[in-house]
Amino acid sequence: AFEPASLFDHYWDFDHVEDGQALDAVASDVTLSLSSPDALGPGVMGTAPTLQGAGSTIDSEGLRFDPSGDFSLSVWVQLSLVHSFDTVVSQAGENVSAFYLQKRSDDRWSFATFSQDDTGASPCVTSGSLQPKVGEWYHLAATREAATGEQRLYVDGMLLGRASCAAAPFAAKGELSVGRGTWDGQGADAINGSVDELGIASRVLSADEIVNLYRQGRPNASYYLFAYFVEVGQGRGDGLRLAYSHDGLYWGAIGESKVFMPPMVGGGSFRDPHVMRAPDGNYHLVFTTSCVPWAESNCVQDRGFGHAWSTDLVHWNDQVYIPVDLQIEHAWAPETIYDEATSQFMVYWSSPLNGQPHSIYYLLTKDFVDFGTPAVLYTQSGRNFIDATIRRQGDQYLMVLKDEADGQKNLRALASSALFGNGAWSDAPSAPLTGNYGAEGPSLLERDGQLFVYFDKYDEGAYGALRADESSALTDPKSWTDISGSVFFPGVRHGTPIEVPWDIFRAVALAAAE
């Protein structure tokens, strides 16, 4: 069995508290003193101390830790209130702390170090893109390598940020403090919340050790990844990026927005990635390879799309450009769905044909090598639709797509008893699901009996979301609740959410840390 304490010089699980002292599972002569030893509640594993701001303290007894060398921290934290700064662990100097593992005023988990014991000094800050949510447990891990000056921040097993800091943290001689920091010689930035399973080591923990620590605290978690792109020069995307979430609402960019796969085919762009898991366990990725005509001068758009496949979302085969044998102007936002009835993949996308408005087209393939004849999947005379996404719901299929009509730019839904062929997708679309703002790039995810539609609020540079019960009438706008204020997608453009098993989550975590 995995023993977290074996990785550390000092480890407090907070399940063993005697006379107000939390016992160290590694060094028996080192304890943490709890100012409120009776304020214990449920933790990630066993019990955890509850902190109520400045009046609650947890400080080391007999530990003087030197942060100027190699070191690592690991802790679970749950905030019940969010302040401007919330410090989870720190090492006190006379004026400031040598390091702060905290939420800073930009509402990001961060790891900050000071090379001087001076409030006027500039910290070296490593931040992740994940915004903490009240009431959620998060696993935080921070590492610093003395030889290179590199410091890293991991959240829930994933590397979210790294920085190179030339100057080492000063050799603080004060206490290791849990739930607060030191500023201008006083206790500061105290948290309201709980902490659990605190470890500190005088070495750099590996990415494998850190993701296993997260797994130890959440053995039955659901793991969600989001494939997306970032718009770079002239409207192009520079490759596949991934974000993660354990609740499907708050997302963090993995590996400092690491590009897991750059574009290599077609027009050399990468937009609108769609990832699906095939019955054999392999993952298929399709994406737009075209340039954007209104963003790039002399843009010659692709009449096809890109494809790649992977066993783990990390190692990809050679990309292939798949041309469409139609006189279309371009092929935008391809997606893939597997048809169990015919054991085929259906790839579908939006295109204008012969100067007509956009319709949804499709191709069938069993192996992504040989393809059938392209055909129209959904069209309405005089209507302009793009960005379709499809999901099987019981004995029907649900499609959500963007209405491109002037003055609309919203999402609509329709249902079909057949995925393709005669009689499929013959209904008119629903009334708008989204409001009076630009919405595109819808994607669907089921979680705990609820269906989420994520979408790109491109005019606002943000992401939005709708939620409905799976059992409701999903083509009825009244079934959907706008929860855009409850999601957090920093810097994300049109992409795909997907639930993955632990081994895939772990593979991505290890690759992000390379």
Side-chain angles (χ1 to χ4, degrees):
F2 178 68
E3 293 292 342
S6 66
L7 304 179
F8 299 95
D9 301 332
H10 304 280
Y11 193 83
W12 299 272
D13 60 15
F14 298 106
D15 297 336
H16 303 90
V17 178
E18 298 178 1
D19 299 324
Q21 305 295 310
L23 304 184
D24 187 334
V26 180
S28 59
D29 59 335
V30 179
T31 61
L32 291 179
S33 179
L34 280 63
S35 63
S36 304
D38 296 329
L40 296 173
V44 173
M45 293 178 283
T47 58
T50 300
L51 301 171
Q52 300 293 334
S56 301
T57 60
I58 301 177
D59 297 304
S60 60
E61 294 287 338
L63 173 63
R64 293 296 181 265
F65 179 75
D66 181 6
S68 61
D70 289 353
F71 75 97
S72 301
L73 303 167
S74 171
V75 67
W76 285 86
V77 60
Q78 179 190 62
L79 299 178
S80 57
L81 289 175
V82 173
H83 309 102
S84 180
F85 286 81
D86 290 289
T87 296
V88 185
V89 186
S90 67
Q91 179 77 28
E94 291 186 6
N95 298 299
V96 299
S97 296
F99 67 79
Y100 303 80
L101 185 56
Q102 64 184 181
K103 183 204 74 67
R104 292 175 67 83
S105 58
D106 61 0
D107 289 332
R108 307 291 198 274
W109 287 125
S110 302
F111 176 45
T113 59
F114 276 79
S115 60
Q116 301 175 53
D117 191 4
D118 184 350
T119 57
S122 296
C124 181
V125 180
T126 307
S127 292
S129 62
L130 186 72
Q131 180 178 344
K133 185 171 66 173
V134 167
E136 284 285 338
W137 280 102
Y138 295 92
H139 180 250
L140 306 181
T143 67
R144 188 179 191 283
E145 185 176 44
T148 62
E150 184 184 70
Q151 58 190 45
R152 294 183 169 202
L153 175 70
Y154 297 79
V155 183
D156 292 343
M158 284 288 183
L159 177 70
L160 295 196
R162 73 177 98 199
S164 181
C165 310
F170 68 89
K173 295 182 169 62
E175 299 172 327
L176 181 75
S177 297
V178 182
R180 66 182 174 91
T182 297
W183 189 259
D184 202 15
Q186 305 294 320
D189 310 329
I191 71 168
N192 288 72
S194 300
V195 294
D196 201 7
E197 307 295 325
L198 169 63
I200 189 166
S202 54
R203 66 181 183 89
V204 177
L205 293 181
S206 69
D208 185 59
E209 290 170 328
I210 289 171
V211 76
N212 286 337
L213 286 167
Y214 170 63
R215 173 72 165 177
Q216 179 82 0
R218 269 213 182 91
N220 301 312
S222 296
Y223 307 102
Y224 302 102
L225 299 179
F226 196 93
Y228 69 100
F229 78 98
V230 169
E231 199 162 49
V232 292
Q234 295 185 308
R236 289 174 172 264
D238 62 355
L240 173 67
R241 301 169 191 256
L242 297 171
Y244 94 97
S245 175
H246 60 255
D247 63 3
L249 296 175
Y250 279 36
W251 299 79
I254 296 172
E256 300 177 291
S257 293
K258 175 187 177 77
V259 174
F260 283 81
M261 187 189 74
M264 302 294 291
V265 297
S269 184
F270 184 100
R271 300 175 66 91
D272 319 322
H274 181 267
V275 177
M276 64 88 65
R277 191 183 191 198
D280 63 4
N282 290 326
Y283 292 88
H284 289 274
L285 167 71
V286 290
F287 54 97
T288 303
T289 61
S290 283
C291 53
V292 179
W294 54 85
E296 182 173 329
S297 59
N298 301 316
C299 168
V300 178
Q301 299 186 82
D302 291 341
R303 295 175 175 177
F305 52 87
H307 170 260
W309 67 270
S310 171
T311 59
D312 58 7
L313 298 180
V314 173
H315 304 94
W316 294 88
N317 77 313
D318 291 340
Q319 297 169 40
V320 176
Y321 176 72
I322 300 171
V324 175
D325 188 18
L326 290 172
Q327 291 303 306
I328 55 176
E329 184 177 334
H330 50 242
W332 280 354
E335 297 203 3
T336 305
I337 188 171
Y338 185 73
D339 181 39
E340 294 181 355
T342 62
S343 300
Q344 295 183 97
F345 298 95
M346 183 181 83
V347 184
Y348 55 100
W349 68 93
S350 54
S351 291
L353 177 65
N354 298 326
Q356 297 300 308
H358 286 80
S359 297
I360 310 302
Y361 292 83
Y362 76 101
L363 283 169
L364 297 175
T365 180
K366 288 183 176 291
D367 53 13
F368 285 91
V369 175
D370 297 314
F371 291 85
T373 303
V376 173
L377 183 68
Y378 183 66
T379 188
Q380 293 278 300
S381 179
R383 300 289 294 271
N384 202 15
F385 294 114
I386 67 170
D387 293 358
T389 189
I390 299 172
R391 176 182 172 85
R392 183 168 188 137
Q393 293 295 127
D395 59 357
Q396 286 196 317
Y397 294 91
L398 173 71
M399 178 188 290
V400 180
L401 74 176
K402 180 189 180 185
D403 185 349
E404 274 281 86
D406 290 340
Q408 299 292 326
K409 312 298 184 185
N410 48 44
L411 303 183
R412 299 172 184 261
L414 62 153
S416 174
S417 58
L419 181 58
F420 58 85
N422 293 334
W425 308 110
S426 57
D427 292 344
S430 71
L433 307 184
T434 51
N436 188 26
Y437 48 80
E440 65 183 16
S443 54
L444 292 160
L445 178 70
E446 183 276 331
R447 178 174 179 260
D448 299 333
Q450 294 186 316
L451 198 61
F452 294 82
V453 176
Y454 306 108
F455 57 92
D456 192 338
K457 299 179 78 170
Y458 57 94
D459 282 339
E460 301 176 19
Y463 234 71
L466 306 172
R467 181 182 62 205
D469 291 334
E470 275 202 296
S471 59
S472 62
L474 297 173
T475 57
D476 184 350
K478 294 191 292 296
S479 296
W480 295 92
T481 301
D482 193 314
I483 58 167
S484 297
S486 300
V487 299
F488 184 71
F489 282 87
V492 174
R493 293 300 312 275
H494 184 163
T496 316
I498 184 170
E499 185 174 358
V500 298
W502 163 249
D503 63 322
I504 301 300
F505 183 90
R506 181 177 177 276
V508 170
L510 297 183
E514 291 176 352

